[in-house]
Amino acid sequence: MTQIAPALRPSPARAADKAMRRSASLWVYTALIGQMAFALYVAAFYGGAALGGRFEDWNEVLVGGYRPGGTVGNVVLGVHLLLAVVITLAGPVQLLPWLRKRAAGLHRWNGRIYMVAAIVISLAGLYAVWTRGTAGGVAMRVGVSLNGLLIIASAALAWRAALGRRFDVHRRWALRLFLLVSGVWFFRIGLMLWILIHQAPVGIGKDFDGPFVRFLAFGCYLIPLAVLELYLRAGDQKGAAMRWTTAGLLLILTLCTAVGIFGAFMGMWLPHFAA
Ligand code: HEM
């Protein structure tokens, strides 16, 4: 029988590391498909209505949406929606390691566009929430506002670390920023996953202010941030157990993400284009 030299044998920690990274990649590619679907919906629905001069169609979805004569608020909302497409397309591109290695210039420029877009979209969102409102109650307003403030802070910290060439710190803040920017997307897929699991709108409430909506208003970005911290800590540790646990958790979350994307696509986005 052929003997494998000890140095060439795969160590348990290395195998666990590989499994964790593969699970993370699977999640990223699944999310990429879901975010493309979201960007396509925003571009086609809001962009299509705007190009046709039918701005009032925006209010089929929006609660504090388009108001005839309310020029400043309408422009701010328009900028918010336009940047929603830009940021949703630009974000996942930053996560592809092969692109980062082969096209460092693209990574840098796309990153700058992404961070500026993240700050402007959040400022526009804060203005829209507190001048026109949004679906749901106080929890939704406070939840999404905190999301916006955390986006601005993370963008500034990721940028500062990149300028200081502290690339490990930059990577960590950039990953946090990506998950925070994805908060509104997580909200939609999380909501549809929950409804699909229960086969009913449990905890949603008549005014979209039920206990589950209040939970998700914060959970849509705090839960992804907590999972990311687990992933980063597992990567920092020498042992294999935490990496295997994280790999398993990421596989389950990939399945949940895929089901949530399916639910949001079929239940929230596609119906706007059905004849
Ligand atoms: C950073 C990533 C964000 C993206 C990609 C994004 C995307 C969107 C999209 C697509 C809509 C239209 C609703 C729909 O069709 O589902 C929307 C509406 C809105 N967003 Fe954002 N958003 C982001 C962040 C924020 C933040 C941080 C805030 C608040 C601080 C905010 C406040 C709003 C408000 C107030 C509306 C109008 C809601 C209504 O009238 O019912 N957004 N956003």
Side-chain angles (χ1 to χ4, degrees), residues 100-119:
R100 221 162 41 225
K101 269 183 217 136
R102 277 179 216 159
L106 176 71
H107 179 77
R108 274 199 296 274
W109 272 105
N110 194 47
R112 286 179 192 127
I113 293 170
Y114 185 75
M115 288 190 215
V116 172
I119 294 171

Side-chain angles (χ1 to χ4, degrees), residues 38 41-42 46 61-65 77 80-81 84 87-88 118 121-122 125-126 128-129 133-135 144-145 147-148 151 180-182 184 188 269:
F38 184 45
Y41 147 74
V42 178
Y46 293 101
V61 180
L62 301 180
V63 173
L77 193 59
H80 186 81
L81 293 169
I87 208 164
T88 310
I121 200 174
S122 300
L126 282 164
V129 170
T134 181
V144 78
S145 298
N147 191 355
I151 288 172
L180 284 161
V181 164
S182 305
V184 298
R188 286 153 178 80
W269 303 331

Side-chain angles (χ1 to χ4, degrees), residues 11-24:
S11 78
R14 220 175 302 147
D17 195 57
K18 210 168 167 184
M20 189 175 79
R21 282 173 205 287
R22 288 210 170 144
S23 298

Side-chain angles (χ1 to χ4, degrees), residues 121-274:
I121 200 174
S122 300
L123 293 173
L126 282 164
Y127 180 84
V129 170
W130 296 104
T131 58
R132 295 211 169 160
T134 181
V138 178
M140 278 290 284
R141 290 175 195 208
V142 176
V144 78
S145 298
L146 180 63
N147 191 355
L149 295 174
L150 291 174
I151 288 172
I152 295 169
S154 309
L157 289 166
W159 205 325
R160 198 173 69 165
L163 287 176
R165 307 190 70 75
R166 286 173 292 124
F167 292 116
D168 185 48
V169 180
H170 165 70
R171 173 178 161 263
R172 283 164 193 253
W173 280 110
L175 289 173
R176 289 179 190 121
L177 175 63
F178 171 73
L179 294 180
L180 284 161
V181 164
S182 305
V184 298
W185 175 80
F186 280 122
F187 184 89
R188 286 153 178 80
I189 66 161
L191 185 72
M192 294 314 285
L193 173 69
W194 175 262
I195 293 175
L196 277 178
I197 289 172
H198 290 87
Q199 292 291 302
V202 177
I204 307 298
K206 253 200 342 264
D207 301 322
F208 202 61
D209 194 26
F212 183 70
V213 172
R214 280 184 250 147
F215 162 77
L216 199 59
F218 296 89
C220 65
Y221 50 92
L222 293 180
I223 296 171
L225 281 184
V227 176
L228 173 65
E229 288 316 307
L230 186 74
Y231 174 78
L232 294 175
R233 272 163 203 237
D236 290 342
Q237 297 209 346
K238 287 209 171 76
M242 200 165 161
R243 292 184 197 181
W244 281 117
T245 311
T246 310
L249 178 67
L250 284 173
L251 278 185
I252 296 168
L253 292 176
T254 301
L255 180 68
C256 294
T257 302
V259 175
I261 291 169
F262 172 78
F265 187 72
M266 299 305 288
M268 274 181 172
W269 303 331
L270 195 60
H272 292 290
F273 306 99

